[in-house]
Amino acid sequence: MEFLDAVSLRERHTFGMDVRARRFAVLSTLDDLPAIRSEAEHSGRVLWLGGGSNLLFTRDFDGLVVQIALKGIRTLADDGKDVIVEAAAGENWHDFVRHTLARGWHGLENLSLIPGTVGASPVQNIGAYGVEVKDCISEVVCADLDDNGRLLVLGNADCRFGYRDSIFKRQAAGRLLVVAVRFKLSRQAAALTGYGDIRAELARMGRAGTPSALDISDAVMHIRAAKLPDPAHLGNAGSFFKNPVLPAADARALIAHNPELPHYAAGTGKTKLAAGWLIEQAGFKGLREGDAGVHARQALVLVNYGHASGKEIQALAQRIQEAVHTRYGVALEAEPVIL
């Protein structure tokens, strides 16, 4: 395999900053893992890069960046009711979702049009419109980088999924590399259309009665396209902040003073608040400072209008966090990895 010097990462992450990797390589087969591990010993820091949709670079990366380009989709089991399908880590997430729906497999439709790759989906436990990817993951295939790349298969419980969290993000970060994900999907429809936006969009489409999984996917795509900027045209990493989860008693006290605050049950004794509402009420929606800004239609999304630096985006994010904490006493946590 080939190792390159001083490679621009502008086209390899969705914020679009023109930062550079000191060393760069593409992993397209697991046979190249030993060469990468050897190179990593000399390069020091290693960044495994998927679609780059959950990263904010504030400087050049002084180490080795490895683009994960593992490809392949295969059906492992099909009993006529449920299907187990495995997708390699480098597969485009949305393309994979549509691949499953085209075959009549239900489960991933609410997660349509989320940017990124299959391999990143369990790391962040991506979620949207009442569904988290953990709901459909049966197993995750990993390479143990501390054990010569030995392959391990982790069951769903072993992944320790949480809200935008997993073992790959915390306890095993830097050790377990996701190389493929196995999903358990159903041939029987179980539409999840509880979110008002989805119901309204299905009604507009004339599919409110008994929508198919493809109908729901189409509705989600329409909603996301209307509300969220396309990274191909406006640099962003999707939702920049997690929706804060508070003890239910604390949330009730806050809602008593702010009855319009959108909120949702988040398990026993916990309540999830809408971070976008908090940011908008703090006066940041649509704000632009130079080329760094907050999107005009969705306050959760910070954007690069062309030439913003990562440090400028980071500084804006910190201002938002401080303002929301001062006004509401709520701490907002950034979703992207900031490097």
Side-chain angles (χ1 to χ4, degrees):
M1 67 182 305
E2 186 178 15
F3 293 93
L4 304 174
D5 293 321
V7 172
S8 172
L9 301 176
R10 169 173 274 174
E11 303 300 325
R12 299 180 186 274
H13 70 114
T14 58
F15 255 122
M17 282 79 180
D18 191 18
V19 294
R20 293 183 176 271
R22 179 162 57 84
R23 294 282 277 170
F24 180 84
V26 176
L27 177 67
S28 55
T29 170
L30 292 178
D31 293 338
D32 287 334
L33 267 181
I36 289 176
R37 291 181 67 252
S38 177
E39 174 66 25
E41 292 178 1
H42 301 289
S43 298
R45 299 177 68 198
V46 179
L47 173 65
W48 300 90
L49 185 63
S53 59
N54 198 46
L55 290 172
L56 174 64
F57 286 98
T58 61
R59 57 179 62 85
D60 292 341
F61 189 81
D62 187 23
L64 171 65
V65 173
V66 182
Q67 182 89 55
I68 301 171
L70 302 169
K71 300 292 185 180
I73 300 172
R74 58 179 182 147
T75 302
L76 301 182
D78 185 350
D79 64 5
K81 178 183 176 182
D82 296 318
V83 176
I84 304 294
V85 57
E86 178 185 278
E91 292 287 343
N92 175 275
W93 173 256
H94 177 66
D95 290 347
F96 171 65
V97 170
R98 296 294 286 191
H99 171 93
T100 66
L101 298 178
R103 284 153 181 77
W105 305 339
H106 304 265
L108 300 177
E109 52 271 19
N110 291 49
L111 304 180
S112 298
L113 211 61
I114 293 178
T117 58
V118 167
S121 66
V123 177
Q124 185 74 357
N125 185 22
I126 60 174
Y129 298 106
V131 175
E132 291 181 320
V133 74
K134 71 175 179 62
D135 302 331
C136 296
I137 288 178
S138 61
E139 296 173 323
V140 178
V141 184
C142 312
D144 188 338
L145 301 176
D146 287 349
D147 190 10
N148 298 313
R150 181 172 64 93
L151 293 184
L152 303 173
V153 178
L154 272 62
N156 186 292
D158 298 323
C159 298
R160 302 180 192 174
F161 289 120
Y163 174 55
R164 303 295 179 268
D165 197 15
S166 70
I167 191 173
F168 312 107
K169 191 173 180 181
R170 300 199 183 274
Q171 299 95 326
R175 180 172 71 86
L176 295 183
L177 173 68
V178 175
V179 300
V181 186
R182 295 170 180 170
F183 300 87
K184 183 178 181 180
L185 305 176
S186 176
R187 290 186 176 277
Q188 299 177 338
L192 294 176
T193 59
Y195 275 72
D197 285 352
I198 293 183
R199 292 196 301 270
E201 183 61 27
L202 288 169
R204 190 196 66 79
M205 294 165 53
R207 297 287 189 273
T210 55
S212 68
L214 275 171
D215 290 334
I216 294 172
S217 175
D218 288 342
V220 169
M221 290 169 63
H222 294 160
I223 295 166
R224 292 183 70 90
K227 287 188 173 183
L228 302 174
D230 184 346
H233 303 294
L234 185 62
N236 72 92
S239 296
F240 197 90
F241 299 101
K242 297 179 182 180
N243 288 318
V245 178
L246 272 61
D250 293 347
R252 283 196 298 271
L254 184 60
I255 294 164
H257 291 92
N258 303 274
E260 304 86 5
L261 171 55
H263 57 281
Y264 316 92
T268 305
K270 296 182 179 180
T271 300
K272 184 186 298 183
L273 307 179
W277 186 91
L278 297 171
I279 296 166
E280 182 175 351
Q281 296 305 306
F284 285 91
K285 187 176 183 180
L287 176 73
R288 177 172 178 173
E289 297 177 339
D291 275 356
V294 180
H295 197 250
R297 294 196 301 272
Q298 175 50 269
L300 269 179
V301 179
L302 304 192
V303 296
N304 172 14
Y305 284 102
H307 300 286
S309 69
K311 289 183 183 293
E312 289 171 331
I313 297 290
Q314 183 182 29
L316 176 57
Q318 290 170 342
R319 281 185 55 206
I320 291 171
Q321 289 170 312
E322 291 166 2
V324 168
H325 189 267
T326 298
R327 181 163 179 169
Y328 297 106
V330 174
L332 294 181
E333 182 180 351
E335 281 201 33
V337 176
I338 299 175
L339 297 170

